[in-house]
Amino acid sequence: MTQPLLASHLLGSALASAWLLTVYAISVQSMVIRRVRANEREAAVAWWLGGALVVGTGIWAGSFLTLVALKLPVKVGYVRDVVMASWLPAVVVCAVTLWLQTHVRSSVKLRVMGGILVTLGLCMLMFVNASSIMIQPGLLWDGDRLAAAVATFLAGSALGSWLLRKDLSRPPHQGRHLAVAVVLGTVLWGGMTLQVSSIGVAYNAVCLSADQLSGESLQLVLTVAVLILLVMTHVGTLQDARALARAQVLSESLQEAKEALEEASQRDAVTGLPNRLGFERQLRDLIEAPRDAALHLCVLRLNVDGFHAFAATYGHALGDNLVQTLALRLRGHVREGDVLARSDTDEFLLACHGFSDERAMTVLAQRLQESVHVPCLIQDQDIVVSSSIGIARYPDSASAEQLIAHSNDAMLTARRAGGGVYCFYERGMDRAGAAQVEMQRDLRHAVERQELQLYFQPKLRSTTGDLAGVEALLRWHHPKRGMVSPAEFIPVAERFGLIGELGLWVLDEACRHLRMWHEAGLDIPVAVNLSVHQLRQPDLEQRVREALHKHRVPARMLIMEITESVAMEDIEASLRVFDMLDQIGVRLSIDDFGTGYSSLSYLRRLPARQLKIDRSFVRDLDSSLDAQAIVEAVVRLAHALGLKVVAEGVETQDQADILAQLQCDELQGFLFARPMSEHTLLNWLRQRGKPVPPTQVRQEASPTGARREADDDDLVTAWSDLEATHL
């Protein structure tokens, strides 16, 4: 004969502990579901697995403490292995629940099957827990109460699915979250209590496991241990939520910076006109327009003759004023649907439609030249300039790239004719004429004849004004031509395959100067420019290592700069080269930042240490709030990625003050120093109080050495041409 247990037999502290752990586990489960939904795949899987283990442990502890609350007429003990085995159904139940709740679009049929599986798992959990009590004869079950327990579990699964989906579909709310946890936890605890209360024993029952685990000893330890585990998981969910919120804020900030840079990258800061990138995009739109309109399309490239010499003589500020004045005049010739852009320092591009014959294009070119030639009154000075114009026509030039390239070829022909004229592009017009062939022949012997030389432009720290390093710039002192602009000989070197040799010479010469300065007690980091051709050289790593080893130069003293557009042209190749150079220890810098097509995801992967803000963003700092906002965005972006920022092209104290206020790290430009030869640099350092041994000031050991020193003063007027293209 048996006596079923009554509800009064379940009252006690163990039952209260079971309720607390069950409610808290349901609360943590809801938090874990939010973390699984919020994170990316790998982190979400980790939260799902970890959440199933932690929440399952909480449910298991609650069910076992419910069993501990059972008051039997005999002394009871629990078999340890069976108790531990009951943990698995709890974890499986929680894993299924988490999976169902994190898959927002799971079908009703799937949710019903999940609810049945959860109910079976909970019942199995309680049965396994009860079997840890070894009673002779066995435990007896009250069928009515057992059926009520199963019904409670089923109802709780349905209610839990509905309440959790409602709660998780809204923003987190502490009060609502707690209420849901209390309701679901209480229902689950009630089902477990009903199932335990259905247990009965015979009057003559004997517990064979009485000498094993004791419920009284387990209650406190289990409650405290599982509470600590749940609290740690609770805290982890809060920290993860905060971390994701911070990451979201940073992502939004980076996105805003990216959008600002993309907008700025297609707009010229001085004139407000589209730049080369913006012009190309709009030109493609014109070409893709209806066929009749595209057939009458032409592109004119207008070069302001002598602009570089003018800017070098009077300063870039006056040069910018001239460009702004000319831009306003050229706008007067732009009709609706035409596109006017500033493609370079001294060049404008104009795309026009509706010109059916060459005569109409000729009239337009003459009007543009007349407009440019009208004297400009700038700062009480009458400035008169002329222009060379190249014209390319569609469909003779069949794409946007060809229209731009062919208009440039025609413009160069107009310049070689003496300037002040216009020229139509014709098939067979070749940029590499007899003069270029002769130049490349001389350039091949320039190294052995010691006609090449490095000039150095200092970079200063914005906070202290101390020397942070120098940038090495290539110069060619031709015995007959004099100083040849890199804008002239670099394209020739690229066209005739000499650029790789020049790049290696620059690298070796920079390392030689580093060793020489180091022996004199001067540790001055030197930055050299890495061309796209060097980037593609398979032996670049070996060449860099050999140069560093040959001159015994610490790799950290060498900075290699690569322009943003080159780095993004073949991102995978750039990543490989950058990683290789970073392993050597060479520092890396992204030059002309903001003028290319940077992807933030790739930029984050490049092991660069430094960004150089392009001079086009610096020029308007003291007169344009938009320019300041763009530079501030670049600085914030770089610092967020752990990079230092260098601003080049600083010409006024106001620009320097604004850049320092915006926390730009280093400054470079005419305000501080122009590019100079080695001996001029060392004298410049002496004047700034830097101890430089006299033996370091030397004459160049080449036939043109004396002439090179004399040419230093002439660089003032030629520097604008030189800085446009350099190694």
PDB file of all heavy atoms in Angstrom, residues 302 304 307 321-331 340 348 371-374 376 385-386:
ATOM      1  N   LEU A 302      41.612  72.186 -70.923  1.00  0.00           N
ATOM      2  CA  LEU A 302      42.206  73.529 -70.942  1.00  0.00           C
ATOM      3  C   LEU A 302      43.311  73.605 -69.905  1.00  0.00           C
ATOM      4  O   LEU A 302      43.070  73.403 -68.704  1.00  0.00           O
ATOM      5  CB  LEU A 302      41.125  74.575 -70.659  1.00  0.00           C
ATOM      6  CG  LEU A 302      41.525  76.044 -70.750  1.00  0.00           C
ATOM      7  CD1 LEU A 302      40.325  76.895 -71.183  1.00  0.00           C
ATOM      8  CD2 LEU A 302      42.053  76.583 -69.423  1.00  0.00           C
ATOM      9  N   VAL A 304      46.225  76.008 -68.155  1.00  0.00           N
ATOM     10  CA  VAL A 304      46.643  77.402 -67.944  1.00  0.00           C
ATOM     11  C   VAL A 304      48.152  77.466 -68.112  1.00  0.00           C
ATOM     12  O   VAL A 304      48.904  76.936 -67.278  1.00  0.00           O
ATOM     13  CB  VAL A 304      46.220  77.900 -66.556  1.00  0.00           C
ATOM     14  CG1 VAL A 304      46.628  79.359 -66.369  1.00  0.00           C
ATOM     15  CG2 VAL A 304      44.718  77.721 -66.356  1.00  0.00           C
ATOM     16  N   PHE A 307      51.210  78.242 -65.266  1.00  0.00           N
ATOM     17  CA  PHE A 307      50.587  78.391 -63.948  1.00  0.00           C
ATOM     18  C   PHE A 307      51.528  77.975 -62.827  1.00  0.00           C
ATOM     19  O   PHE A 307      51.579  78.624 -61.774  1.00  0.00           O
ATOM     20  CB  PHE A 307      49.302  77.565 -63.881  1.00  0.00           C
ATOM     21  CG  PHE A 307      48.632  77.613 -62.530  1.00  0.00           C
ATOM     22  CD1 PHE A 307      47.805  78.673 -62.195  1.00  0.00           C
ATOM     23  CD2 PHE A 307      48.849  76.620 -61.592  1.00  0.00           C
ATOM     24  CE1 PHE A 307      47.202  78.730 -60.955  1.00  0.00           C
ATOM     25  CE2 PHE A 307      48.248  76.667 -60.352  1.00  0.00           C
ATOM     26  CZ  PHE A 307      47.421  77.725 -60.031  1.00  0.00           C
ATOM     27  N   ASN A 321      43.480  81.944 -55.979  1.00  0.00           N
ATOM     28  CA  ASN A 321      42.596  83.056 -56.357  1.00  0.00           C
ATOM     29  C   ASN A 321      42.463  83.152 -57.874  1.00  0.00           C
ATOM     30  O   ASN A 321      41.375  83.407 -58.411  1.00  0.00           O
ATOM     31  CB  ASN A 321      43.131  84.371 -55.799  1.00  0.00           C
ATOM     32  CG  ASN A 321      42.958  84.479 -54.299  1.00  0.00           C
ATOM     33  OD1 ASN A 321      42.124  83.787 -53.722  1.00  0.00           O
ATOM     34  ND2 ASN A 321      43.750  85.323 -53.664  1.00  0.00           N
ATOM     35  N   LEU A 322      43.581  82.935 -58.565  1.00  0.00           N
ATOM     36  CA  LEU A 322      43.549  82.963 -60.028  1.00  0.00           C
ATOM     37  C   LEU A 322      42.659  81.839 -60.562  1.00  0.00           C
ATOM     38  O   LEU A 322      41.829  82.055 -61.463  1.00  0.00           O
ATOM     39  CB  LEU A 322      44.966  82.834 -60.581  1.00  0.00           C
ATOM     40  CG  LEU A 322      45.091  82.705 -62.111  1.00  0.00           C
ATOM     41  CD1 LEU A 322      44.499  83.931 -62.801  1.00  0.00           C
ATOM     42  CD2 LEU A 322      46.543  82.489 -62.519  1.00  0.00           C
ATOM     43  N   VAL A 323      42.823  80.651 -60.019  1.00  0.00           N
ATOM     44  CA  VAL A 323      42.018  79.509 -60.463  1.00  0.00           C
ATOM     45  C   VAL A 323      40.539  79.767 -60.211  1.00  0.00           C
ATOM     46  O   VAL A 323      39.677  79.458 -61.054  1.00  0.00           O
ATOM     47  CB  VAL A 323      42.483  78.223 -59.751  1.00  0.00           C
ATOM     48  CG1 VAL A 323      41.482  77.088 -59.968  1.00  0.00           C
ATOM     49  CG2 VAL A 323      43.849  77.802 -60.261  1.00  0.00           C
ATOM     50  N   GLN A 324      40.209  80.325 -59.057  1.00  0.00           N
ATOM     51  CA  GLN A 324      38.808  80.620 -58.744  1.00  0.00           C
ATOM     52  C   GLN A 324      38.223  81.625 -59.737  1.00  0.00           C
ATOM     53  O   GLN A 324      37.074  81.485 -60.186  1.00  0.00           O
ATOM     54  CB  GLN A 324      38.696  81.140 -57.315  1.00  0.00           C
ATOM     55  CG  GLN A 324      38.965  80.084 -56.252  1.00  0.00           C
ATOM     56  CD  GLN A 324      39.099  80.678 -54.869  1.00  0.00           C
ATOM     57  OE1 GLN A 324      39.218  81.897 -54.700  1.00  0.00           O
ATOM     58  NE2 GLN A 324      39.096  79.826 -53.848  1.00  0.00           N
ATOM     59  N   THR A 325      39.017  82.642 -60.077  1.00  0.00           N
ATOM     60  CA  THR A 325      38.552  83.648 -61.039  1.00  0.00           C
ATOM     61  C   THR A 325      38.312  83.019 -62.406  1.00  0.00           C
ATOM     62  O   THR A 325      37.285  83.266 -63.065  1.00  0.00           O
ATOM     63  CB  THR A 325      39.590  84.778 -61.159  1.00  0.00           C
ATOM     64  OG1 THR A 325      39.788  85.382 -59.874  1.00  0.00           O
ATOM     65  CG2 THR A 325      39.119  85.835 -62.142  1.00  0.00           C
ATOM     66  N   LEU A 326      39.257  82.186 -62.842  1.00  0.00           N
ATOM     67  CA  LEU A 326      39.106  81.532 -64.139  1.00  0.00           C
ATOM     68  C   LEU A 326      37.917  80.571 -64.138  1.00  0.00           C
ATOM     69  O   LEU A 326      37.197  80.456 -65.143  1.00  0.00           O
ATOM     70  CB  LEU A 326      40.388  80.783 -64.500  1.00  0.00           C
ATOM     71  CG  LEU A 326      41.637  81.645 -64.716  1.00  0.00           C
ATOM     72  CD1 LEU A 326      42.837  80.773 -65.035  1.00  0.00           C
ATOM     73  CD2 LEU A 326      41.406  82.663 -65.825  1.00  0.00           C
ATOM     74  N   ALA A 327      37.704  79.894 -63.026  1.00  0.00           N
ATOM     75  CA  ALA A 327      36.570  78.961 -62.941  1.00  0.00           C
ATOM     76  C   ALA A 327      35.249  79.703 -63.103  1.00  0.00           C
ATOM     77  O   ALA A 327      34.325  79.225 -63.775  1.00  0.00           O
ATOM     78  CB  ALA A 327      36.610  78.208 -61.616  1.00  0.00           C
ATOM     79  N   LEU A 328      35.146  80.882 -62.474  1.00  0.00           N
ATOM     80  CA  LEU A 328      33.919  81.672 -62.616  1.00  0.00           C
ATOM     81  C   LEU A 328      33.694  82.091 -64.068  1.00  0.00           C
ATOM     82  O   LEU A 328      32.565  82.069 -64.575  1.00  0.00           O
ATOM     83  CB  LEU A 328      33.995  82.908 -61.712  1.00  0.00           C
ATOM     84  CG  LEU A 328      33.851  82.654 -60.208  1.00  0.00           C
ATOM     85  CD1 LEU A 328      34.090  83.940 -59.425  1.00  0.00           C
ATOM     86  CD2 LEU A 328      32.455  82.103 -59.907  1.00  0.00           C
ATOM     87  N   ARG A 329      34.770  82.461 -64.744  1.00  0.00           N
ATOM     88  CA  ARG A 329      34.629  82.862 -66.147  1.00  0.00           C
ATOM     89  C   ARG A 329      34.216  81.677 -67.017  1.00  0.00           C
ATOM     90  O   ARG A 329      33.351  81.805 -67.892  1.00  0.00           O
ATOM     91  CB  ARG A 329      35.957  83.433 -66.658  1.00  0.00           C
ATOM     92  CG  ARG A 329      36.340  84.761 -66.026  1.00  0.00           C
ATOM     93  CD  ARG A 329      37.644  85.247 -66.616  1.00  0.00           C
ATOM     94  NE  ARG A 329      38.069  86.510 -66.015  1.00  0.00           N
ATOM     95  CZ  ARG A 329      39.219  87.111 -66.299  1.00  0.00           C
ATOM     96  NH1 ARG A 329      40.032  86.561 -67.182  1.00  0.00           N
ATOM     97  NH2 ARG A 329      39.542  88.249 -65.721  1.00  0.00           N
ATOM     98  N   LEU A 330      34.847  80.535 -66.789  1.00  0.00           N
ATOM     99  CA  LEU A 330      34.531  79.366 -67.605  1.00  0.00           C
ATOM    100  C   LEU A 330      33.100  78.904 -67.380  1.00  0.00           C
ATOM    101  O   LEU A 330      32.456  78.380 -68.299  1.00  0.00           O
ATOM    102  CB  LEU A 330      35.510  78.225 -67.293  1.00  0.00           C
ATOM    103  CG  LEU A 330      36.978  78.492 -67.668  1.00  0.00           C
ATOM    104  CD1 LEU A 330      37.858  77.335 -67.237  1.00  0.00           C
ATOM    105  CD2 LEU A 330      37.109  78.714 -69.178  1.00  0.00           C
ATOM    106  N   ARG A 331      32.591  79.099 -66.164  1.00  0.00           N
ATOM    107  CA  ARG A 331      31.198  78.721 -65.888  1.00  0.00           C
ATOM    108  C   ARG A 331      30.228  79.480 -66.812  1.00  0.00           C
ATOM    109  O   ARG A 331      29.145  78.990 -67.129  1.00  0.00           O
ATOM    110  CB  ARG A 331      30.854  79.022 -64.428  1.00  0.00           C
ATOM    111  CG  ARG A 331      31.279  77.940 -63.444  1.00  0.00           C
ATOM    112  CD  ARG A 331      30.580  78.156 -62.113  1.00  0.00           C
ATOM    113  NE  ARG A 331      30.918  77.122 -61.150  1.00  0.00           N
ATOM    114  CZ  ARG A 331      31.758  77.274 -60.145  1.00  0.00           C
ATOM    115  NH1 ARG A 331      32.378  78.443 -59.962  1.00  0.00           N
ATOM    116  NH2 ARG A 331      32.003  76.286 -59.306  1.00  0.00           N
ATOM    117  N   LEU A 340      31.677  71.011 -66.323  1.00  0.00           N
ATOM    118  CA  LEU A 340      32.961  71.677 -66.157  1.00  0.00           C
ATOM    119  C   LEU A 340      33.618  71.142 -64.894  1.00  0.00           C
ATOM    120  O   LEU A 340      32.975  71.027 -63.848  1.00  0.00           O
ATOM    121  CB  LEU A 340      32.768  73.190 -66.048  1.00  0.00           C
ATOM    122  CG  LEU A 340      34.031  74.020 -65.765  1.00  0.00           C
ATOM    123  CD1 LEU A 340      35.014  73.930 -66.933  1.00  0.00           C
ATOM    124  CD2 LEU A 340      33.676  75.481 -65.469  1.00  0.00           C
ATOM    125  N   PHE A 348      41.550  72.389 -66.569  1.00  0.00           N
ATOM    126  CA  PHE A 348      40.098  72.244 -66.498  1.00  0.00           C
ATOM    127  C   PHE A 348      39.655  71.282 -67.600  1.00  0.00           C
ATOM    128  O   PHE A 348      40.288  71.195 -68.664  1.00  0.00           O
ATOM    129  CB  PHE A 348      39.395  73.596 -66.701  1.00  0.00           C
ATOM    130  CG  PHE A 348      39.639  74.588 -65.606  1.00  0.00           C
ATOM    131  CD1 PHE A 348      40.712  75.471 -65.678  1.00  0.00           C
ATOM    132  CD2 PHE A 348      38.808  74.651 -64.498  1.00  0.00           C
ATOM    133  CE1 PHE A 348      40.943  76.398 -64.668  1.00  0.00           C
ATOM    134  CE2 PHE A 348      39.030  75.569 -63.481  1.00  0.00           C
ATOM    135  CZ  PHE A 348      40.099  76.443 -63.570  1.00  0.00           C
ATOM    136  N   SER A 371      38.390  84.281 -72.905  1.00  0.00           N
ATOM    137  CA  SER A 371      37.943  84.497 -71.532  1.00  0.00           C
ATOM    138  C   SER A 371      39.092  84.351 -70.550  1.00  0.00           C
ATOM    139  O   SER A 371      39.229  85.126 -69.603  1.00  0.00           O
ATOM    140  CB  SER A 371      36.829  83.503 -71.190  1.00  0.00           C
ATOM    141  OG  SER A 371      36.375  83.677 -69.867  1.00  0.00           O
ATOM    142  N   VAL A 372      39.955  83.355 -70.761  1.00  0.00           N
ATOM    143  CA  VAL A 372      41.098  83.138 -69.872  1.00  0.00           C
ATOM    144  C   VAL A 372      42.114  84.269 -70.022  1.00  0.00           C
ATOM    145  O   VAL A 372      42.745  84.692 -69.031  1.00  0.00           O
ATOM    146  CB  VAL A 372      41.751  81.772 -70.181  1.00  0.00           C
ATOM    147  CG1 VAL A 372      43.094  81.632 -69.464  1.00  0.00           C
ATOM    148  CG2 VAL A 372      40.814  80.637 -69.780  1.00  0.00           C
ATOM    149  N   HIS A 373      42.263  84.798 -71.243  1.00  0.00           N
ATOM    150  CA  HIS A 373      43.316  85.783 -71.508  1.00  0.00           C
ATOM    151  C   HIS A 373      42.969  87.176 -70.976  1.00  0.00           C
ATOM    152  O   HIS A 373      43.860  88.036 -70.866  1.00  0.00           O
ATOM    153  CB  HIS A 373      43.574  85.862 -73.017  1.00  0.00           C
ATOM    154  CG  HIS A 373      44.838  86.572 -73.375  1.00  0.00           C
ATOM    155  ND1 HIS A 373      46.083  86.120 -72.984  1.00  0.00           N
ATOM    156  CD2 HIS A 373      45.054  87.717 -74.084  1.00  0.00           C
ATOM    157  CE1 HIS A 373      47.004  86.957 -73.427  1.00  0.00           C
ATOM    158  NE2 HIS A 373      46.412  87.939 -74.108  1.00  0.00           N
ATOM    159  N   VAL A 374      41.720  87.422 -70.635  1.00  0.00           N
ATOM    160  CA  VAL A 374      41.354  88.730 -70.050  1.00  0.00           C
ATOM    161  C   VAL A 374      42.110  88.915 -68.739  1.00  0.00           C
ATOM    162  O   VAL A 374      42.143  88.012 -67.900  1.00  0.00           O
ATOM    163  CB  VAL A 374      39.832  88.812 -69.814  1.00  0.00           C
ATOM    164  CG1 VAL A 374      39.478  90.093 -69.078  1.00  0.00           C
ATOM    165  CG2 VAL A 374      39.095  88.732 -71.146  1.00  0.00           C
ATOM    166  N   CYS A 376      43.302  89.407 -65.032  1.00  0.00           N
ATOM    167  CA  CYS A 376      42.640  89.132 -63.749  1.00  0.00           C
ATOM    168  C   CYS A 376      43.241  90.051 -62.696  1.00  0.00           C
ATOM    169  O   CYS A 376      44.473  90.080 -62.508  1.00  0.00           O
ATOM    170  CB  CYS A 376      42.838  87.681 -63.334  1.00  0.00           C
ATOM    171  SG  CYS A 376      42.240  86.471 -64.512  1.00  0.00           S
ATOM    172  N   VAL A 385      47.210  85.524 -68.284  1.00  0.00           N
ATOM    173  CA  VAL A 385      47.667  84.173 -68.623  1.00  0.00           C
ATOM    174  C   VAL A 385      47.002  83.749 -69.923  1.00  0.00           C
ATOM    175  O   VAL A 385      45.986  84.307 -70.345  1.00  0.00           O
ATOM    176  CB  VAL A 385      47.313  83.157 -67.511  1.00  0.00           C
ATOM    177  CG1 VAL A 385      48.104  83.438 -66.241  1.00  0.00           C
ATOM    178  CG2 VAL A 385      45.817  83.151 -67.220  1.00  0.00           C
ATOM    179  N   SER A 386      47.601  82.761 -70.559  1.00  0.00           N
ATOM    180  CA  SER A 386      47.030  82.176 -71.772  1.00  0.00           C
ATOM    181  C   SER A 386      46.681  80.718 -71.481  1.00  0.00           C
ATOM    182  O   SER A 386      46.933  80.209 -70.388  1.00  0.00           O
ATOM    183  CB  SER A 386      48.029  82.265 -72.930  1.00  0.00           C
ATOM    184  OG  SER A 386      49.212  81.539 -72.616  1.00  0.00           O
TER     185      SER A 386
END
